């Protein structure tokens, strides 16, 4: 079983749609959690950290369920510019050293 | 804003050459990382460093070495480049603590070995 698994995708949605991505992780000792976005042929960029109580940043909402070892990302009112690959990332220690990346889920927002 | 700078966006080298990829960060991060990313394989960790002159092997260190002589700079060395090392190389850095520190990536270097 892979350490971090994500929806296989791709997701093709119309502009304005709400889309949700799911991620599961296998190591119950995981300490911190992130969503990154990666545009084609570019570097991953931090979208948001994921906190235990859930957190929101504009149209983006992230949730964490430690008991189920599950992370989600919700994007509301999708824009064309949201088209990218979304990477779920788990950090296994408290020293910023042991990051495990999911394979990514590709999103295409269509006009 | 954190700035992680990689020395080249695109690089073309020949088989057997010794290749140096340089990475500099300006945020006094203790941790620095080198990954490669290939289609269908995701990001794979080559090496990371948690302090000056300290290094740890990642998942795919074979054929690579690293150097960290100064805190802000982390170099990846391909000792004798081979065609299977053609890839996108990504440098990243992060604070050692407190908990919850994310990684920040450079723009990447697209390396082609001919």
């Amino acid at each position: 079983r892979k350490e971090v698994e994500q929806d296989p995708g791709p997701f093709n949605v119309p502009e304005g749609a709400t889309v949700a991505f799911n991620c599961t992780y296998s190591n119950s000792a995981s300490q911190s959690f992130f969503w990154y976005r990666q545009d084609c042929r570019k570097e991953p960029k931090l979208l948001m950290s994921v906190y235990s109580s859930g957190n929101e940043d504009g149209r983006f909402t992230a949730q964490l369920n430690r008991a189920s070892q599950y992370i989600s990302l919700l994007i509301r009112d999708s824009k064309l510019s949201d088209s990218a690959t979304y990477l779920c990332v788990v950090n296994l220690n408290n020293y910023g050293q042991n990051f495990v990346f999911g394979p990514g889920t590709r999103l295409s927002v269509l006009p | 804003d954190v700035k992680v700078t990689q020395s080249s966006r695109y690089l073309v080298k020949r088989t057997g050459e010794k290749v140096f990829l340089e990475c500099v960060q300006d945020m006094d991060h203790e941790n620095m990382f080198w990954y490669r990313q290939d289609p269908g394989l995701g990001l794979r960790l080559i090496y990371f460093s948690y302090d000056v002159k300290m290094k740890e092997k990642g998942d795919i260190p074979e054929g690579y070495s690293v150097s960290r002589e100064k805190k802000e700079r982390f170099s990846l060395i391909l000792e004798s480049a081979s065609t299977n090392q053609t890839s996108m190389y990504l440098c990243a850095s992060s604070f050692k603590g407190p908990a919850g520190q994310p990684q920040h990536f450079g723009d990447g270097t697209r390396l082609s070995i001919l």
Side-chain angles (χ1 to χ4, degrees), chain A residues 9-104:
Chain A
F11 283 39
N12 298 313
V13 303
E15 264 188 294
T18 295
V19 59
F21 301 132
N22 300 311
C23 171
T24 57
Y25 59 95
S26 60
N27 191 328
S28 59
S30 298
Q31 298 293 323
S32 49
F33 310 89
F34 311 92
W35 284 102
Y36 282 71
R37 68 168 280 166
Q38 186 173 24
D39 294 290
C40 190
R41 301 176 70 83
K42 296 284 184 73
E43 77 279 16
K45 291 187 176 175
L46 179 67
L47 180 65
M48 58 198 301
S49 301
V50 186
Y51 303 119
S52 297
S53 54
N55 48 300
E56 189 173 305
D57 183 1
R59 297 181 294 109
F60 300 85
T61 301
Q63 297 280 351
L64 168 65
N65 184 322
R66 284 189 182 267
S68 301
Q69 296 178 201
Y70 167 88
I71 307 158
S72 65
L73 176 69
L74 185 76
I75 305 176
R76 290 182 300 278
D77 189 22
S78 301
K79 312 290 184 194
L80 296 177
S81 57
D82 294 334
S83 297
T85 295
Y86 290 82
L87 301 169
C88 175
V89 182
V90 172
N91 187 211
L92 300 183
N93 69 20
N94 277 325
Y95 305 107
Q97 293 167 353
N98 199 345
F99 292 86
V100 183
F101 286 77

